[in-house]
Short mmCIF file of all heavy atoms in Angstrom, two decimals:
data_model
loop_
_atom_site.label_atom_id
_atom_site.label_comp_id
_atom_site.label_asym_id
_atom_site.label_seq_id
_atom_site.Cartn_x
_atom_site.Cartn_y
_atom_site.Cartn_z
N MET A 1 75.99 10.22 60.04
CA MET A 1 74.97 10.36 59.04
C MET A 1 75.63 10.85 57.77
O MET A 1 76.52 11.68 57.82
CB MET A 1 73.92 11.38 59.50
CG MET A 1 72.96 11.76 58.42
SD MET A 1 71.69 12.92 58.92
CE MET A 1 72.61 14.41 59.03
N GLN A 2 75.20 10.30 56.65
CA GLN A 2 75.68 10.74 55.35
C GLN A 2 74.54 11.38 54.57
O GLN A 2 73.42 10.89 54.61
CB GLN A 2 76.19 9.57 54.53
CG GLN A 2 77.37 8.86 55.11
CD GLN A 2 77.78 7.68 54.23
OE1 GLN A 2 77.33 7.53 53.11
NE2 GLN A 2 78.64 6.85 54.76
N ILE A 3 74.85 12.46 53.90
CA ILE A 3 73.90 13.04 52.95
C ILE A 3 74.43 12.66 51.58
O ILE A 3 75.58 12.95 51.24
CB ILE A 3 73.80 14.56 53.10
CG1 ILE A 3 73.29 14.90 54.50
CG2 ILE A 3 72.89 15.15 52.02
CD1 ILE A 3 73.32 16.37 54.83
N ILE A 4 73.59 11.96 50.81
CA ILE A 4 74.01 11.49 49.49
C ILE A 4 73.04 11.98 48.43
O ILE A 4 71.89 12.30 48.72
CB ILE A 4 74.12 9.95 49.44
CG1 ILE A 4 72.76 9.31 49.69
CG2 ILE A 4 75.14 9.43 50.43
CD1 ILE A 4 72.73 7.82 49.45
N ASN A 5 73.53 12.05 47.19
CA ASN A 5 72.64 12.43 46.10
C ASN A 5 72.01 11.18 45.49
O ASN A 5 72.28 10.06 45.94
CB ASN A 5 73.37 13.29 45.05
CG ASN A 5 74.47 12.55 44.34
OD1 ASN A 5 74.59 11.33 44.38
ND2 ASN A 5 75.33 13.32 43.66
N THR A 6 71.19 11.35 44.47
CA THR A 6 70.48 10.20 43.89
C THR A 6 71.40 9.25 43.14
O THR A 6 71.01 8.14 42.83
CB THR A 6 69.36 10.68 42.93
OG1 THR A 6 69.93 11.53 41.94
CG2 THR A 6 68.28 11.42 43.69
N ASP A 7 72.63 9.67 42.88
CA ASP A 7 73.61 8.79 42.24
C ASP A 7 74.42 8.00 43.27
O ASP A 7 75.30 7.23 42.91
CB ASP A 7 74.56 9.59 41.36
CG ASP A 7 73.86 10.23 40.17
OD1 ASP A 7 72.92 9.60 39.64
OD2 ASP A 7 74.24 11.35 39.79
N GLY A 8 74.15 8.22 44.56
CA GLY A 8 74.85 7.50 45.62
C GLY A 8 76.18 8.10 46.01
O GLY A 8 76.99 7.46 46.69
N ILE A 9 76.43 9.35 45.61
CA ILE A 9 77.68 10.03 45.96
C ILE A 9 77.48 10.79 47.28
O ILE A 9 76.50 11.51 47.46
CB ILE A 9 78.11 11.02 44.85
CG1 ILE A 9 78.26 10.29 43.51
CG2 ILE A 9 79.41 11.75 45.22
CD1 ILE A 9 79.28 9.19 43.49
N VAL A 10 78.43 10.65 48.19
CA VAL A 10 78.35 11.32 49.49
C VAL A 10 78.61 12.81 49.31
O VAL A 10 79.64 13.21 48.77
CB VAL A 10 79.36 10.71 50.48
CG1 VAL A 10 79.31 11.44 51.81
CG2 VAL A 10 79.10 9.21 50.67
N LEU A 11 77.67 13.64 49.76
CA LEU A 11 77.80 15.09 49.67
C LEU A 11 78.29 15.70 50.97
O LEU A 11 78.95 16.73 50.97
CB LEU A 11 76.46 15.72 49.28
CG LEU A 11 75.85 15.23 47.97
CD1 LEU A 11 74.49 15.87 47.77
CD2 LEU A 11 76.77 15.50 46.81
N ALA A 12 77.95 15.07 52.11
CA ALA A 12 78.36 15.57 53.42
C ALA A 12 78.25 14.44 54.43
O ALA A 12 77.49 13.50 54.25
CB ALA A 12 77.49 16.75 53.85
N VAL A 13 79.04 14.56 55.50
CA VAL A 13 79.01 13.59 56.60
C VAL A 13 78.91 14.38 57.90
O VAL A 13 79.60 15.40 58.07
CB VAL A 13 80.28 12.71 56.60
CG1 VAL A 13 80.24 11.72 57.75
CG2 VAL A 13 80.42 11.96 55.28
N ALA A 14 78.06 13.92 58.81
CA ALA A 14 77.88 14.61 60.08
C ALA A 14 77.73 13.61 61.22
O ALA A 14 77.34 12.46 61.00
CB ALA A 14 76.66 15.52 60.04
N ARG A 15 78.04 14.05 62.42
CA ARG A 15 77.83 13.25 63.63
C ARG A 15 76.57 13.80 64.30
O ARG A 15 76.48 14.99 64.60
CB ARG A 15 79.02 13.41 64.58
CG ARG A 15 78.84 12.64 65.88
CD ARG A 15 80.00 12.83 66.85
NE ARG A 15 81.28 12.50 66.22
CZ ARG A 15 82.24 13.39 65.93
NH1 ARG A 15 82.06 14.67 66.19
NH2 ARG A 15 83.36 13.01 65.38
N ILE A 16 75.57 12.94 64.49
CA ILE A 16 74.32 13.36 65.11
C ILE A 16 74.54 13.55 66.60
O ILE A 16 75.05 12.66 67.28
CB ILE A 16 73.20 12.35 64.84
CG1 ILE A 16 72.92 12.27 63.33
CG2 ILE A 16 71.92 12.72 65.60
CD1 ILE A 16 71.96 11.17 62.94
N THR A 17 74.16 14.72 67.11
CA THR A 17 74.33 15.02 68.53
C THR A 17 73.00 15.15 69.27
O THR A 17 72.99 15.20 70.49
CB THR A 17 75.13 16.32 68.71
OG1 THR A 17 74.43 17.40 68.07
CG2 THR A 17 76.53 16.19 68.13
N GLY A 18 71.90 15.20 68.52
CA GLY A 18 70.61 15.31 69.18
C GLY A 18 69.47 15.39 68.19
O GLY A 18 69.67 15.50 66.99
N ILE A 19 68.27 15.34 68.73
CA ILE A 19 67.04 15.47 67.96
C ILE A 19 66.15 16.45 68.70
O ILE A 19 66.01 16.37 69.93
CB ILE A 19 66.32 14.12 67.81
CG1 ILE A 19 67.22 13.11 67.10
CG2 ILE A 19 65.00 14.28 67.06
CD1 ILE A 19 66.65 11.71 67.05
N SER A 20 65.56 17.40 67.98
CA SER A 20 64.64 18.34 68.62
C SER A 20 63.31 18.32 67.89
O SER A 20 63.24 18.02 66.70
CB SER A 20 65.24 19.75 68.62
OG SER A 20 65.51 20.19 67.31
N LYS A 21 62.26 18.62 68.63
CA LYS A 21 60.91 18.61 68.06
C LYS A 21 60.47 20.05 67.80
O LYS A 21 60.66 20.93 68.65
CB LYS A 21 59.94 17.93 69.02
CG LYS A 21 58.57 17.75 68.42
CD LYS A 21 57.66 16.91 69.28
CE LYS A 21 56.34 16.75 68.55
NZ LYS A 21 55.38 15.99 69.31
N HIS A 22 59.90 20.26 66.62
CA HIS A 22 59.40 21.58 66.22
C HIS A 22 57.99 21.38 65.69
O HIS A 22 57.80 21.00 64.54
CB HIS A 22 60.31 22.18 65.14
CG HIS A 22 61.71 22.35 65.59
ND1 HIS A 22 62.15 23.48 66.24
CD2 HIS A 22 62.79 21.52 65.52
CE1 HIS A 22 63.42 23.35 66.53
NE2 HIS A 22 63.84 22.16 66.11
N GLY A 23 57.00 21.60 66.55
CA GLY A 23 55.62 21.36 66.16
C GLY A 23 55.41 19.87 65.95
O GLY A 23 55.68 19.07 66.84
N ASP A 24 54.99 19.49 64.74
CA ASP A 24 54.78 18.07 64.46
C ASP A 24 55.96 17.47 63.68
O ASP A 24 55.86 16.37 63.16
CB ASP A 24 53.48 17.87 63.67
CG ASP A 24 53.49 18.55 62.31
OD1 ASP A 24 54.37 19.40 62.08
OD2 ASP A 24 52.63 18.23 61.48
N ARG A 25 57.07 18.17 63.65
CA ARG A 25 58.26 17.69 62.93
C ARG A 25 59.45 17.57 63.88
O ARG A 25 59.47 18.16 64.95
CB ARG A 25 58.61 18.64 61.79
CG ARG A 25 57.53 18.72 60.75
CD ARG A 25 57.88 19.73 59.70
NE ARG A 25 56.79 19.84 58.76
CZ ARG A 25 56.89 19.51 57.49
NH1 ARG A 25 58.01 19.07 57.00
NH2 ARG A 25 55.85 19.64 56.70
N TYR A 26 60.44 16.81 63.42
CA TYR A 26 61.66 16.62 64.19
C TYR A 26 62.85 17.09 63.37
O TYR A 26 62.85 16.99 62.14
CB TYR A 26 61.86 15.14 64.55
CG TYR A 26 60.85 14.66 65.57
CD1 TYR A 26 59.60 14.17 65.16
CD2 TYR A 26 61.12 14.70 66.92
CE1 TYR A 26 58.67 13.74 66.07
CE2 TYR A 26 60.20 14.27 67.85
CZ TYR A 26 58.97 13.79 67.42
OH TYR A 26 58.05 13.36 68.33
N ALA A 27 63.86 17.59 64.04
CA ALA A 27 65.09 18.03 63.37
C ALA A 27 66.28 17.29 63.97
O ALA A 27 66.37 17.13 65.19
CB ALA A 27 65.28 19.53 63.56
N LEU A 28 67.16 16.83 63.10
CA LEU A 28 68.41 16.23 63.56
C LEU A 28 69.41 17.35 63.79
O LEU A 28 69.53 18.27 62.99
CB LEU A 28 68.98 15.27 62.52
CG LEU A 28 68.18 14.01 62.25
CD1 LEU A 28 68.81 13.23 61.10
CD2 LEU A 28 68.11 13.15 63.48
N GLU A 29 70.13 17.28 64.89
CA GLU A 29 71.17 18.25 65.20
C GLU A 29 72.50 17.51 65.16
O GLU A 29 72.57 16.33 65.49
CB GLU A 29 70.94 18.84 66.58
CG GLU A 29 69.60 19.54 66.69
CD GLU A 29 69.22 19.85 68.12
OE1 GLU A 29 70.02 19.58 69.03
OE2 GLU A 29 68.11 20.36 68.32
N GLY A 30 73.53 18.20 64.72
CA GLY A 30 74.81 17.52 64.65
C GLY A 30 75.96 18.41 64.26
O GLY A 30 75.80 19.61 64.07
N ASP A 31 77.11 17.78 64.13
CA ASP A 31 78.34 18.48 63.75
C ASP A 31 78.78 17.97 62.39
O ASP A 31 78.94 16.76 62.19
CB ASP A 31 79.45 18.18 64.77
CG ASP A 31 79.09 18.67 66.17
OD1 ASP A 31 78.50 19.77 66.28
OD2 ASP A 31 79.39 17.96 67.13
N LEU A 32 78.97 18.90 61.47
CA LEU A 32 79.46 18.56 60.14
C LEU A 32 80.92 18.13 60.26
O LEU A 32 81.73 18.79 60.91
CB LEU A 32 79.36 19.78 59.22
CG LEU A 32 79.70 19.58 57.77
CD1 LEU A 32 78.77 18.56 57.13
CD2 LEU A 32 79.60 20.91 57.04
N LEU A 33 81.25 16.99 59.68
CA LEU A 33 82.62 16.47 59.73
C LEU A 33 83.36 16.96 58.48
O LEU A 33 83.41 16.28 57.46
CB LEU A 33 82.61 14.95 59.81
CG LEU A 33 81.87 14.37 61.02
CD1 LEU A 33 81.90 12.84 60.98
CD2 LEU A 33 82.47 14.88 62.31
N ARG A 34 83.90 18.15 58.58
CA ARG A 34 84.62 18.76 57.45
C ARG A 34 85.88 17.96 57.14
O ARG A 34 86.57 17.51 58.03
CB ARG A 34 84.99 20.20 57.78
CG ARG A 34 83.77 21.06 58.01
CD ARG A 34 84.15 22.50 58.27
NE ARG A 34 83.02 23.29 58.68
CZ ARG A 34 82.16 23.85 57.84
NH1 ARG A 34 82.30 23.68 56.55
NH2 ARG A 34 81.16 24.57 58.29
N GLY A 35 86.14 17.78 55.86
CA GLY A 35 87.32 17.06 55.43
C GLY A 35 87.21 15.55 55.52
O GLY A 35 88.20 14.84 55.38
N ASP A 36 86.00 15.03 55.75
CA ASP A 36 85.81 13.59 55.84
C ASP A 36 86.14 12.95 54.49
O ASP A 36 85.68 13.43 53.45
CB ASP A 36 84.37 13.26 56.24
CG ASP A 36 84.19 11.81 56.58
OD1 ASP A 36 84.16 10.99 55.64
OD2 ASP A 36 84.08 11.49 57.78
N PRO A 37 86.94 11.89 54.47
CA PRO A 37 87.35 11.29 53.20
C PRO A 37 86.22 10.64 52.40
O PRO A 37 86.39 10.34 51.22
CB PRO A 37 88.39 10.25 53.62
CG PRO A 37 88.10 9.96 55.05
CD PRO A 37 87.52 11.23 55.62
N ARG A 38 85.05 10.43 53.01
CA ARG A 38 83.93 9.83 52.28
C ARG A 38 83.26 10.80 51.32
O ARG A 38 82.59 10.39 50.38
CB ARG A 38 82.91 9.28 53.27
CG ARG A 38 83.43 8.11 54.08
CD ARG A 38 82.49 7.72 55.17
NE ARG A 38 82.61 8.68 56.28
CZ ARG A 38 82.00 8.56 57.45
NH1 ARG A 38 81.20 7.53 57.66
NH2 ARG A 38 82.18 9.45 58.39
N VAL A 39 83.42 12.11 51.56
CA VAL A 39 82.77 13.12 50.73
C VAL A 39 83.32 13.05 49.30
O VAL A 39 84.53 12.99 49.10
CB VAL A 39 82.96 14.53 51.32
CG1 VAL A 39 82.40 15.60 50.38
CG2 VAL A 39 82.29 14.63 52.69
N GLY A 40 82.41 13.02 48.34
CA GLY A 40 82.78 12.97 46.94
C GLY A 40 82.93 11.56 46.39
O GLY A 40 83.17 11.37 45.21
N ARG A 41 82.76 10.56 47.24
CA ARG A 41 82.90 9.16 46.82
C ARG A 41 81.55 8.45 46.88
O ARG A 41 80.65 8.89 47.59
CB ARG A 41 83.88 8.44 47.74
CG ARG A 41 85.25 9.03 47.69
CD ARG A 41 86.15 8.34 48.68
NE ARG A 41 87.43 9.00 48.71
CZ ARG A 41 88.56 8.43 48.36
NH1 ARG A 41 88.58 7.18 47.98
NH2 ARG A 41 89.68 9.10 48.40
N PRO A 42 81.42 7.33 46.20
CA PRO A 42 80.19 6.55 46.31
C PRO A 42 80.00 6.06 47.74
O PRO A 42 80.97 5.72 48.42
CB PRO A 42 80.41 5.36 45.36
CG PRO A 42 81.51 5.79 44.45
CD PRO A 42 82.36 6.75 45.24
N THR A 43 78.77 6.05 48.21
CA THR A 43 78.50 5.58 49.56
C THR A 43 78.79 4.09 49.68
O THR A 43 78.45 3.32 48.78
CB THR A 43 77.04 5.88 49.99
OG1 THR A 43 76.86 5.40 51.33
CG2 THR A 43 76.03 5.23 49.09
N PRO A 44 79.45 3.67 50.78
CA PRO A 44 79.72 2.25 50.96
C PRO A 44 78.49 1.47 51.41
O PRO A 44 78.49 0.26 51.42
CB PRO A 44 80.81 2.24 52.04
CG PRO A 44 80.58 3.48 52.81
CD PRO A 44 80.05 4.49 51.81
N SER A 45 77.43 2.19 51.77
CA SER A 45 76.22 1.51 52.25
C SER A 45 74.99 2.05 51.52
O SER A 45 74.19 2.76 52.12
CB SER A 45 76.08 1.68 53.76
OG SER A 45 76.14 3.06 54.08
N PRO A 46 74.86 1.75 50.23
CA PRO A 46 73.70 2.27 49.49
C PRO A 46 72.39 1.70 50.01
O PRO A 46 72.36 0.58 50.52
CB PRO A 46 73.97 1.82 48.05
CG PRO A 46 74.87 0.65 48.17
CD PRO A 46 75.68 0.87 49.43
N HIS A 47 71.36 2.47 49.90
CA HIS A 47 70.03 2.05 50.33
C HIS A 47 69.11 2.19 49.12
O HIS A 47 69.10 3.24 48.48
CB HIS A 47 69.56 2.92 51.49
CG HIS A 47 68.37 2.35 52.18
ND1 HIS A 47 67.10 2.50 51.72
CD2 HIS A 47 68.27 1.61 53.30
CE1 HIS A 47 66.26 1.88 52.54
NE2 HIS A 47 66.95 1.34 53.50
N LEU A 48 68.36 1.16 48.81
CA LEU A 48 67.56 1.16 47.60
C LEU A 48 66.41 2.16 47.61
O LEU A 48 66.05 2.67 46.58
CB LEU A 48 67.03 -0.26 47.34
CG LEU A 48 68.11 -1.29 47.07
CD1 LEU A 48 67.48 -2.66 46.86
CD2 LEU A 48 68.93 -0.91 45.84
N SER A 49 65.83 2.44 48.77
CA SER A 49 64.75 3.42 48.77
C SER A 49 65.29 4.74 49.27
O SER A 49 65.99 4.81 50.26
CB SER A 49 63.59 2.96 49.66
OG SER A 49 63.85 3.18 51.00
N ARG A 50 64.98 5.77 48.54
CA ARG A 50 65.45 7.11 48.92
C ARG A 50 64.23 8.03 48.98
O ARG A 50 63.41 8.05 48.09
CB ARG A 50 66.44 7.64 47.92
CG ARG A 50 67.72 6.85 47.93
CD ARG A 50 68.85 7.67 47.34
NE ARG A 50 70.11 7.02 47.57
CZ ARG A 50 70.60 6.04 46.83
NH1 ARG A 50 69.92 5.59 45.82
NH2 ARG A 50 71.78 5.53 47.10
N ASN A 51 64.16 8.83 50.03
CA ASN A 51 63.09 9.79 50.17
C ASN A 51 63.66 11.16 49.80
O ASN A 51 64.58 11.64 50.44
CB ASN A 51 62.57 9.84 51.61
CG ASN A 51 61.92 8.53 52.00
OD1 ASN A 51 61.22 7.95 51.21
ND2 ASN A 51 62.18 8.08 53.20
N PRO A 52 63.13 11.79 48.75
CA PRO A 52 63.64 13.10 48.36
C PRO A 52 63.37 14.14 49.44
O PRO A 52 62.35 14.08 50.13
CB PRO A 52 62.90 13.42 47.08
CG PRO A 52 61.67 12.59 47.12
CD PRO A 52 62.01 11.37 47.92
N VAL A 53 64.29 15.06 49.58
CA VAL A 53 64.13 16.15 50.54
C VAL A 53 63.95 17.43 49.76
O VAL A 53 64.69 17.71 48.82
CB VAL A 53 65.37 16.27 51.45
CG1 VAL A 53 65.25 17.46 52.37
CG2 VAL A 53 65.57 14.98 52.23
N THR A 54 62.95 18.23 50.14
CA THR A 54 62.70 19.51 49.48
C THR A 54 62.83 20.61 50.51
O THR A 54 62.28 20.52 51.59
CB THR A 54 61.29 19.55 48.88
OG1 THR A 54 61.15 18.46 47.96
CG2 THR A 54 61.04 20.84 48.16
N TYR A 55 63.60 21.64 50.18
CA TYR A 55 63.74 22.80 51.05
C TYR A 55 62.95 23.95 50.44
O TYR A 55 63.11 24.27 49.27
CB TYR A 55 65.21 23.20 51.18
CG TYR A 55 66.03 22.12 51.85
CD1 TYR A 55 66.73 21.18 51.11
CD2 TYR A 55 66.08 22.04 53.23
CE1 TYR A 55 67.47 20.19 51.72
CE2 TYR A 55 66.82 21.06 53.85
CZ TYR A 55 67.51 20.14 53.09
OH TYR A 55 68.23 19.17 53.70
N ILE A 56 62.08 24.54 51.26
CA ILE A 56 61.24 25.65 50.77
C ILE A 56 61.56 26.89 51.55
O ILE A 56 61.78 26.89 52.71
CB ILE A 56 59.75 25.28 50.91
CG1 ILE A 56 59.48 24.06 50.05
CG2 ILE A 56 58.88 26.44 50.51
CD1 ILE A 56 58.08 23.52 50.19
#
C-alpha cells in the first residue's frame, strides 16, 4: 500500500498484514517499509479519483 499526497508523491509504503473491524469502521494493519525507494517519488500507478483522509 502506498500513501500519496494530492500531487501524486509517495509519502509512505507499507505491507498490509490484516484488517480489523472497529464498530462500523475497518482499519488496515501493516508494517511500514522504512527506506523504501518509492518514498519521495511520483507514484508509478496514479489513480484519478482520490478520497481525502481527515484525522480528528
